[in-house]
Amino acid sequence: MQPMAGQDLLHTQPRPMHWLATATALSAVVAGASFVQPPDATATTSHNGSAGRHSSAAPDPGKVTFPVTCGPNRPEVVKKASGDLDGDGTTETVAVVRCHSDTGTPPSGVYVLAHPTDPQAAPRLVATLVAPTQQLSVRSLAVKDGVVSAALLGYSDLNVPRCCPDVHKSVKWQWRDGKFIESELPAASSTNGV
């Protein structure tokens, strides 16, 4: 009978010293790898420099009490979109709010929310783009490149049946000189959003 190849070789008979040497070498490789980083590596947390707010999280409209009077019904957020609207590096949220109704479409309000100054507080309501008293409904809403755009539906007078809005317009709002400036979009434009 022939002996198995390698039986007499020292490295085929591991001893505790071999395991210790292997573990030490492996630890050195792992530790060394943690110190080697690509030259362009940076931390992933970003701050805009104002009150340590993060630009990635959008204000939650579910935490806001909106100035909408609904009587026995409750206000509900039916559309929302987020983006940096004023160029400060933080994300704002635009929320479309109306009274809950099982029938019909109550008028909507369009509100801009910003991060609170106190992290424990609710988001701040900083602008009203459309007030419910304007008797408009929002068909679509989008935020792109700091511009809020919406398709609005309404009625030209009280004689128009409430089922069939006869006013259709597309508008946009853009932050300029410390306020939102509204302008009407050409009739061929459409808003791609929610």
Side-chain angles (χ1 to χ4, degrees):
M1 181 170 174
Q2 263 186 333
M4 291 181 61
Q7 270 186 342
D8 293 337
L9 301 174
L10 288 177
H11 71 277
T12 61
Q13 300 172 6
R15 293 196 163 73
M17 187 59 159
H18 291 116
W19 289 113
L20 182 60
T22 302
T24 302
L26 184 57
S27 296
V29 169
V30 170
S34 69
F35 290 109
V36 177
Q37 295 290 328
D40 62 344
T42 59
T44 57
T45 303
S46 64
H47 295 281
N48 72 348
S50 64
R53 294 180 294 202
H54 296 278
S55 62
S56 60
D60 180 5
K63 296 180 178 180
V64 175
T65 301
F66 292 96
V68 178
T69 305
C70 293
N73 296 323
R74 70 184 186 289
E76 63 182 350
V77 177
V78 293
K79 295 177 184 354
K80 65 180 179 176
S82 298
D84 182 3
L85 302 179
D86 57 4
D88 68 349
T90 60
T91 303
E92 288 82 27
T93 297
V94 180
V96 176
V97 181
R98 69 176 187 210
C99 296
H100 175 77
S101 175
D102 292 328
T103 60
T105 305
S108 302
V110 180
Y111 304 98
V112 178
L113 309 175
H115 290 280
T117 52
D118 174 9
Q120 303 301 319
R124 296 177 297 131
L125 194 151
V126 294
T128 300
L129 303 179
V130 175
T133 55
Q134 292 175 264
Q135 298 295 308
L136 296 170
S137 297
V138 179
R139 186 175 66 198
S140 62
L141 174 73
V143 171
K144 183 177 180 188
D145 299 327
V147 176
V148 179
S149 56
L152 306 175
L153 303 175
Y155 304 93
S156 58
D157 64 46
L158 293 175
N159 295 325
V160 176
R162 296 297 137 188
C163 67
C164 312
D166 64 337
V167 174
H168 304 264
K169 64 180 183 174
S170 295
V171 295
K172 70 176 182 175
W173 295 270
Q174 197 163 10
W175 183 259
R176 276 186 281 175
D177 301 323
K179 61 185 175 183
F180 286 98
I181 305 297
E182 179 180 339
S183 58
E184 200 156 333
L185 292 169
S189 294
S190 67
T191 57
N192 296 323
V194 275

PDB file of all heavy atoms in Angstrom, residues 159-175:
ATOM      1  N   ASN A 159     -73.555  79.495 -12.830  1.00  0.00           N
ATOM      2  CA  ASN A 159     -74.532  78.780 -13.655  1.00  0.00           C
ATOM      3  C   ASN A 159     -73.959  77.523 -14.315  1.00  0.00           C
ATOM      4  O   ASN A 159     -74.707  76.727 -14.855  1.00  0.00           O
ATOM      5  CB  ASN A 159     -75.088  79.714 -14.730  1.00  0.00           C
ATOM      6  CG  ASN A 159     -75.878  80.855 -14.116  1.00  0.00           C
ATOM      7  OD1 ASN A 159     -76.547  80.671 -13.101  1.00  0.00           O
ATOM      8  ND2 ASN A 159     -75.773  82.032 -14.711  1.00  0.00           N
ATOM      9  N   VAL A 160     -72.641  77.371 -14.294  1.00  0.00           N
ATOM     10  CA  VAL A 160     -72.017  76.182 -14.900  1.00  0.00           C
ATOM     11  C   VAL A 160     -72.245  75.004 -13.962  1.00  0.00           C
ATOM     12  O   VAL A 160     -71.971  75.091 -12.763  1.00  0.00           O
ATOM     13  CB  VAL A 160     -70.505  76.416 -15.118  1.00  0.00           C
ATOM     14  CG1 VAL A 160     -69.838  75.164 -15.658  1.00  0.00           C
ATOM     15  CG2 VAL A 160     -70.285  77.594 -16.056  1.00  0.00           C
ATOM     16  N   PRO A 161     -72.795  73.875 -14.487  1.00  0.00           N
ATOM     17  CA  PRO A 161     -73.016  72.698 -13.638  1.00  0.00           C
ATOM     18  C   PRO A 161     -71.713  72.249 -12.966  1.00  0.00           C
ATOM     19  O   PRO A 161     -70.653  72.245 -13.589  1.00  0.00           O
ATOM     20  CB  PRO A 161     -73.519  71.631 -14.611  1.00  0.00           C
ATOM     21  CG  PRO A 161     -73.975  72.378 -15.817  1.00  0.00           C
ATOM     22  CD  PRO A 161     -73.182  73.640 -15.871  1.00  0.00           C
ATOM     23  N   ARG A 162     -71.788  71.889 -11.698  1.00  0.00           N
ATOM     24  CA  ARG A 162     -70.606  71.528 -10.913  1.00  0.00           C
ATOM     25  C   ARG A 162     -69.978  70.210 -11.346  1.00  0.00           C
ATOM     26  O   ARG A 162     -68.908  69.854 -10.890  1.00  0.00           O
ATOM     27  CB  ARG A 162     -70.939  71.486  -9.424  1.00  0.00           C
ATOM     28  CG  ARG A 162     -71.350  72.828  -8.862  1.00  0.00           C
ATOM     29  CD  ARG A 162     -70.213  73.828  -8.952  1.00  0.00           C
ATOM     30  NE  ARG A 162     -70.711  75.124  -9.409  1.00  0.00           N
ATOM     31  CZ  ARG A 162     -69.963  76.145  -9.724  1.00  0.00           C
ATOM     32  NH1 ARG A 162     -68.672  76.078  -9.641  1.00  0.00           N
ATOM     33  NH2 ARG A 162     -70.483  77.268 -10.131  1.00  0.00           N
ATOM     34  N   CYS A 163     -70.609  69.532 -12.260  1.00  0.00           N
ATOM     35  CA  CYS A 163     -70.023  68.286 -12.778  1.00  0.00           C
ATOM     36  C   CYS A 163     -68.998  68.546 -13.867  1.00  0.00           C
ATOM     37  O   CYS A 163     -68.176  67.697 -14.175  1.00  0.00           O
ATOM     38  CB  CYS A 163     -71.110  67.386 -13.358  1.00  0.00           C
ATOM     39  SG  CYS A 163     -71.877  68.096 -14.845  1.00  0.00           S
ATOM     40  N   CYS A 164     -69.116  69.715 -14.486  1.00  0.00           N
ATOM     41  CA  CYS A 164     -68.392  69.945 -15.744  1.00  0.00           C
ATOM     42  C   CYS A 164     -67.600  71.246 -15.711  1.00  0.00           C
ATOM     43  O   CYS A 164     -68.068  72.279 -16.208  1.00  0.00           O
ATOM     44  CB  CYS A 164     -69.391  69.973 -16.892  1.00  0.00           C
ATOM     45  SG  CYS A 164     -70.556  68.599 -16.866  1.00  0.00           S
ATOM     46  N   PRO A 165     -66.392  71.242 -15.162  1.00  0.00           N
ATOM     47  CA  PRO A 165     -65.621  72.481 -15.123  1.00  0.00           C
ATOM     48  C   PRO A 165     -65.347  73.008 -16.526  1.00  0.00           C
ATOM     49  O   PRO A 165     -65.023  72.257 -17.434  1.00  0.00           O
ATOM     50  CB  PRO A 165     -64.315  72.081 -14.424  1.00  0.00           C
ATOM     51  CG  PRO A 165     -64.281  70.606 -14.403  1.00  0.00           C
ATOM     52  CD  PRO A 165     -65.660  70.102 -14.631  1.00  0.00           C
ATOM     53  N   ASP A 166     -65.540  74.314 -16.703  1.00  0.00           N
ATOM     54  CA  ASP A 166     -65.321  74.910 -18.028  1.00  0.00           C
ATOM     55  C   ASP A 166     -64.064  75.780 -18.080  1.00  0.00           C
ATOM     56  O   ASP A 166     -63.728  76.338 -19.112  1.00  0.00           O
ATOM     57  CB  ASP A 166     -66.550  75.717 -18.473  1.00  0.00           C
ATOM     58  CG  ASP A 166     -66.830  76.899 -17.573  1.00  0.00           C
ATOM     59  OD1 ASP A 166     -66.400  76.887 -16.398  1.00  0.00           O
ATOM     60  OD2 ASP A 166     -67.480  77.853 -18.038  1.00  0.00           O
ATOM     61  N   VAL A 167     -63.358  75.893 -16.958  1.00  0.00           N
ATOM     62  CA  VAL A 167     -62.087  76.620 -16.924  1.00  0.00           C
ATOM     63  C   VAL A 167     -60.976  75.592 -16.752  1.00  0.00           C
ATOM     64  O   VAL A 167     -60.981  74.819 -15.794  1.00  0.00           O
ATOM     65  CB  VAL A 167     -62.048  77.646 -15.772  1.00  0.00           C
ATOM     66  CG1 VAL A 167     -60.675  78.279 -15.660  1.00  0.00           C
ATOM     67  CG2 VAL A 167     -63.121  78.701 -15.968  1.00  0.00           C
ATOM     68  N   HIS A 168     -60.070  75.568 -17.714  1.00  0.00           N
ATOM     69  CA  HIS A 168     -58.918  74.658 -17.678  1.00  0.00           C
ATOM     70  C   HIS A 168     -57.676  75.508 -17.894  1.00  0.00           C
ATOM     71  O   HIS A 168     -57.566  76.178 -18.919  1.00  0.00           O
ATOM     72  CB  HIS A 168     -58.992  73.613 -18.791  1.00  0.00           C
ATOM     73  CG  HIS A 168     -60.246  72.804 -18.775  1.00  0.00           C
ATOM     74  ND1 HIS A 168     -60.315  71.579 -18.180  1.00  0.00           N
ATOM     75  CD2 HIS A 168     -61.487  73.051 -19.277  1.00  0.00           C
ATOM     76  CE1 HIS A 168     -61.544  71.090 -18.316  1.00  0.00           C
ATOM     77  NE2 HIS A 168     -62.280  71.978 -18.977  1.00  0.00           N
ATOM     78  N   LYS A 169     -56.766  75.494 -16.924  1.00  0.00           N
ATOM     79  CA  LYS A 169     -55.540  76.252 -17.146  1.00  0.00           C
ATOM     80  C   LYS A 169     -54.358  75.525 -16.516  1.00  0.00           C
ATOM     81  O   LYS A 169     -54.505  74.814 -15.522  1.00  0.00           O
ATOM     82  CB  LYS A 169     -55.644  77.676 -16.636  1.00  0.00           C
ATOM     83  CG  LYS A 169     -55.829  77.842 -15.143  1.00  0.00           C
ATOM     84  CD  LYS A 169     -55.910  79.327 -14.802  1.00  0.00           C
ATOM     85  CE  LYS A 169     -56.025  79.556 -13.312  1.00  0.00           C
ATOM     86  NZ  LYS A 169     -55.972  80.970 -12.977  1.00  0.00           N
ATOM     87  N   SER A 170     -53.220  75.708 -17.134  1.00  0.00           N
ATOM     88  CA  SER A 170     -51.968  75.157 -16.622  1.00  0.00           C
ATOM     89  C   SER A 170     -51.116  76.319 -16.149  1.00  0.00           C
ATOM     90  O   SER A 170     -50.929  77.296 -16.877  1.00  0.00           O
ATOM     91  CB  SER A 170     -51.228  74.383 -17.709  1.00  0.00           C
ATOM     92  OG  SER A 170     -51.975  73.251 -18.088  1.00  0.00           O
ATOM     93  N   VAL A 171     -50.643  76.209 -14.916  1.00  0.00           N
ATOM     94  CA  VAL A 171     -49.851  77.286 -14.332  1.00  0.00           C
ATOM     95  C   VAL A 171     -48.557  76.735 -13.758  1.00  0.00           C
ATOM     96  O   VAL A 171     -48.424  75.529 -13.531  1.00  0.00           O
ATOM     97  CB  VAL A 171     -50.631  78.035 -13.224  1.00  0.00           C
ATOM     98  CG1 VAL A 171     -51.843  78.743 -13.799  1.00  0.00           C
ATOM     99  CG2 VAL A 171     -51.030  77.093 -12.120  1.00  0.00           C
ATOM    100  N   LYS A 172     -47.627  77.654 -13.530  1.00  0.00           N
ATOM    101  CA  LYS A 172     -46.392  77.279 -12.842  1.00  0.00           C
ATOM    102  C   LYS A 172     -46.060  78.361 -11.832  1.00  0.00           C
ATOM    103  O   LYS A 172     -46.479  79.524 -11.979  1.00  0.00           O
ATOM    104  CB  LYS A 172     -45.243  77.074 -13.823  1.00  0.00           C
ATOM    105  CG  LYS A 172     -44.731  78.346 -14.473  1.00  0.00           C
ATOM    106  CD  LYS A 172     -43.529  78.067 -15.364  1.00  0.00           C
ATOM    107  CE  LYS A 172     -43.011  79.376 -15.954  1.00  0.00           C
ATOM    108  NZ  LYS A 172     -41.798  79.191 -16.732  1.00  0.00           N
ATOM    109  N   TRP A 173     -45.332  77.962 -10.802  1.00  0.00           N
ATOM    110  CA  TRP A 173     -44.844  78.887  -9.794  1.00  0.00           C
ATOM    111  C   TRP A 173     -43.338  78.695  -9.685  1.00  0.00           C
ATOM    112  O   TRP A 173     -42.849  77.565  -9.674  1.00  0.00           O
ATOM    113  CB  TRP A 173     -45.474  78.617  -8.436  1.00  0.00           C
ATOM    114  CG  TRP A 173     -46.944  78.846  -8.375  1.00  0.00           C
ATOM    115  CD1 TRP A 173     -47.585  79.999  -8.050  1.00  0.00           C
ATOM    116  CD2 TRP A 173     -47.966  77.882  -8.614  1.00  0.00           C
ATOM    117  NE1 TRP A 173     -48.946  79.824  -8.076  1.00  0.00           N
ATOM    118  CE2 TRP A 173     -49.208  78.516  -8.417  1.00  0.00           C
ATOM    119  CE3 TRP A 173     -47.972  76.532  -8.970  1.00  0.00           C
ATOM    120  CZ2 TRP A 173     -50.423  77.865  -8.557  1.00  0.00           C
ATOM    121  CZ3 TRP A 173     -49.178  75.879  -9.129  1.00  0.00           C
ATOM    122  CH2 TRP A 173     -50.395  76.549  -8.924  1.00  0.00           C
ATOM    123  N   GLN A 174     -42.631  79.808  -9.580  1.00  0.00           N
ATOM    124  CA  GLN A 174     -41.190  79.755  -9.455  1.00  0.00           C
ATOM    125  C   GLN A 174     -40.747  80.767  -8.403  1.00  0.00           C
ATOM    126  O   GLN A 174     -41.291  81.875  -8.342  1.00  0.00           O
ATOM    127  CB  GLN A 174     -40.535  80.061 -10.801  1.00  0.00           C
ATOM    128  CG  GLN A 174     -39.110  79.646 -10.903  1.00  0.00           C
ATOM    129  CD  GLN A 174     -38.655  79.598 -12.360  1.00  0.00           C
ATOM    130  OE1 GLN A 174     -39.351  80.044 -13.273  1.00  0.00           O
ATOM    131  NE2 GLN A 174     -37.486  79.054 -12.574  1.00  0.00           N
ATOM    132  N   TRP A 175     -39.793  80.370  -7.567  1.00  0.00           N
ATOM    133  CA  TRP A 175     -39.293  81.236  -6.497  1.00  0.00           C
ATOM    134  C   TRP A 175     -38.375  82.295  -7.079  1.00  0.00           C
ATOM    135  O   TRP A 175     -37.354  81.983  -7.687  1.00  0.00           O
ATOM    136  CB  TRP A 175     -38.553  80.376  -5.487  1.00  0.00           C
ATOM    137  CG  TRP A 175     -38.053  81.122  -4.291  1.00  0.00           C
ATOM    138  CD1 TRP A 175     -36.779  81.552  -4.073  1.00  0.00           C
ATOM    139  CD2 TRP A 175     -38.814  81.509  -3.152  1.00  0.00           C
ATOM    140  NE1 TRP A 175     -36.705  82.200  -2.871  1.00  0.00           N
ATOM    141  CE2 TRP A 175     -37.937  82.183  -2.271  1.00  0.00           C
ATOM    142  CE3 TRP A 175     -40.146  81.365  -2.784  1.00  0.00           C
ATOM    143  CZ2 TRP A 175     -38.355  82.705  -1.059  1.00  0.00           C
ATOM    144  CZ3 TRP A 175     -40.558  81.872  -1.575  1.00  0.00           C
ATOM    145  CH2 TRP A 175     -39.674  82.542  -0.723  1.00  0.00           C
TER     146      TRP A 175
END
